[in-house]
Amino acid sequence: MFRIVLAMALFAFPLAAQATEAGWALLRNGGQVVLMRHANAPGNGDPANLDIEKCGTQRNLSDRGRQQARRIGALFQARAAPIERVLTSRYCRARDTAVLAFGADETEIFAALDIAPDEAALAAQKAEILERIANFTGSGNLVMVTHLEIIDALIGGRAREGEAVILSREGDNLHAAARITFN
């Protein structure tokens, strides 16, 4: 059994590396839209006393998450075309990921990337995000730092903490053209 698990792990590693290299190749060309889930923030959900303006009332990045965010920024700088714009959720874990990776001057709050309180809000946020994506025509890359729920609503799939999903746009339909995982 151990050999089967080991063989499967060895087989999967090159596939993950290929997927990551395909993502970097797309980003080097520029003009891409990237959905990124915030870096490592332990736990699930937020406390009942959540105040979007107070980080102390939210789930926040761990030390590992802050290191991960810095590594994301360094790799983007070394391997991708310039970042034209960084949009982020107002939640501290997303905002901190964006600022640590790309800098405060490059980061802009975009509340549509927040966790939606209900299905109606999620539908409205999704429409606002899709409009922003449809209107993006830059030569650099657009990065949107957000949460699992938003990524799932947009592409119908999940993303790990700190994972970048490079989008393929076909009309109103989005899907993952490639992924980059930052461990």
Side-chain angles (χ1 to χ4, degrees):
M1 181 66 168
F2 175 74
R3 287 182 180 168
I4 293 171
V5 171
L6 180 62
M8 290 174 64
L10 291 173
F11 177 72
F13 179 74
L15 292 177
Q18 280 181 319
T20 296
E21 288 307 316
W24 287 122
L26 286 170
L27 292 177
R28 278 191 293 277
N29 292 331
Q32 302 299 315
V33 177
V34 180
L35 291 177
M36 180 177 295
R37 186 171 172 201
H38 60 78
N40 182 261
N44 291 314
D46 286 290
N49 67 337
L50 172 81
D51 180 341
I52 198 76
E53 302 299 325
K54 297 180 182 173
C55 293
T57 67
Q58 303 176 33
R59 189 163 55 97
N60 291 291
L61 296 181
S62 64
D63 288 339
R64 179 175 169 259
R66 285 186 289 282
Q67 291 172 347
Q68 185 182 36
R70 287 184 199 99
R71 187 169 47 249
I72 288 167
L75 286 168
F76 262 87
Q77 187 173 9
R79 301 197 65 190
I83 302 301
E84 189 159 314
R85 175 174 257 158
V86 178
L87 302 175
T88 184
S89 159
R90 294 178 297 164
Y91 282 75
C92 295
R93 59 187 171 271
R95 191 177 68 232
D96 291 348
T97 298
V99 168
L100 288 168
F102 305 106
D105 293 340
E106 306 301 320
T107 302
E108 176 185 333
I109 298 294
F110 183 44
L113 295 171
D114 290 353
I115 297 170
D118 55 46
E119 289 299 316
L122 181 61
Q125 286 174 233
K126 182 178 175 182
E128 192 174 347
I129 295 166
L130 289 172
E131 182 179 347
R132 183 65 70 101
I133 291 170
N135 291 331
F136 178 70
T137 59
S139 60
N141 296 305
L142 168 64
V143 177
M144 298 178 151
V145 182
T146 190
H147 307 273
L148 177 63
E149 296 86 351
I150 298 296
I151 294 170
D152 189 38
L154 290 168
I155 66 168
R158 302 178 78 67
R160 294 170 49 186
E161 288 180 322
E163 184 173 24
V165 179
I166 297 94
L167 297 178
S168 174
R169 301 175 270 178
E170 295 172 8
D172 287 340
N173 297 320
L174 300 176
H175 66 274
R179 294 173 180 262
I180 300 173
T181 303
F182 303 93
N183 293 326

